[in-house]
Structures are given as structure tokens and as C-alpha cells.
Amino acid sequence: MKLYRFLSADDNSAFCHKVTAALNDGWALHGGPTYAFDAANGVMRCGQAVVKEKEGSYSPDMKLGEP
């Protein structure tokens, strides 16, 4: 099955670490990153989609962030 996640965070090093951790756990980038201003909090936010192939069947109660 193919899994999909969308990672997001404020534009800081924590976002880069989140994406790096996903890549090192077997996830692959899917498309380019996004970048938008969060007016409610007054900060820039980043987003990146990642995908991963995994054996088994999909279930809505899966925890996609687990290896």
C-alpha cells in the first residue's frame, strides 16, 4: 500500500528536522514544499507531502507517523 502524510510546521529548523526524520524513516518527498503566511499567529508556515510504500492493507485507524 502507499501511505501519504502532509508535514507542516512554523518556518524554523524544527520543520526541517521533521522532514529529515521522515526521509530517514523511508518516506519520500512528494511534490514541492509549500510556504504560506499564518495570519492568525503572525508566522510563516511550511508544508511538505511525503509518501511511503508499506506492506499490508490500509485502515483509517493507522498511525501514519509510525515506522
Side-chain angles (χ1 to χ4, degrees):
M1 83 181 117
K2 183 173 265 189
L3 304 175
Y4 170 90
R5 292 173 63 196
F6 184 77
L7 308 174
S8 64
D10 291 350
D11 181 21
N12 57 34
S13 64
F15 174 73
C16 294
H17 286 284
K18 185 185 284 191
V19 174
T20 299
L23 293 173
N24 282 282
D25 191 34
W27 294 85
L29 299 177
H30 182 73
T34 60
Y35 195 63
F37 182 67
D38 178 352
N41 295 303
V43 296
M44 293 301 291
R45 297 203 30 100
C46 296
Q48 176 64 58
V50 292
V51 293
K52 181 179 186 178
E53 290 286 338
K54 188 172 183 179
E55 290 191 25
S57 299
Y58 171 74
S59 171
D61 61 335
M62 293 177 71
K63 299 207 182 295
L64 298 176
E66 294 180 355

